[in-house]
Amino acid sequence: MARVPSAVVAASGLVGGYGVARWTKKRPLGGAVLAVAGTAAAQQWRKQAGNATAGALTAAYVGAFAGSHPLAKKIGAWPSVLGVAGAVALASWAVADRKA
């Protein structure tokens, strides 16, 4: 079975978490998607790049989630979510996936 890159897992968690919360109108369900994907990505980051890098990328993931909210007020919800997801995916690829 092919491994899904951590960049894809992380970006999918941010986009999927928002999408699930929006379409089901159940924010905790979207949060669960966000948390499961974030945990899976963090495990991959730890294996690929070590604890320190995994911690930094996890902080970026959580920061992207938090930062998407005020950014959404300026550029809209979907552009905000897609932008922060792209930023986290790029960071993940640059420091973890590229080495794999």
Side-chain angles (χ1 to χ4, degrees):
M1 184 175 197
R3 182 183 68 81
V4 177
S6 61
V8 173
V9 175
S12 297
L14 289 161
V15 173
Y18 174 69
V20 167
R22 181 173 176 149
W23 289 313
T24 65
K25 304 209 184 320
K26 296 184 185 330
R27 292 179 72 177
L29 190 56
V33 170
L34 181 79
V36 168
T39 300
Q43 288 175 345
Q44 283 185 265
W45 293 329
R46 191 175 310 109
K47 288 179 187 174
Q48 292 171 328
N51 289 333
T53 300
L57 287 171
T58 299
Y61 184 81
V62 172
F65 166 69
S68 70
H69 291 82
L71 183 60
K73 291 180 182 180
K74 296 181 189 279
I75 65 171
W78 276 114
S80 173
V81 170
L82 295 174
V84 299
V88 169
L90 181 61
S92 178
W93 174 81
V95 300
D97 292 335
R98 184 172 57 161
K99 297 175 183 178

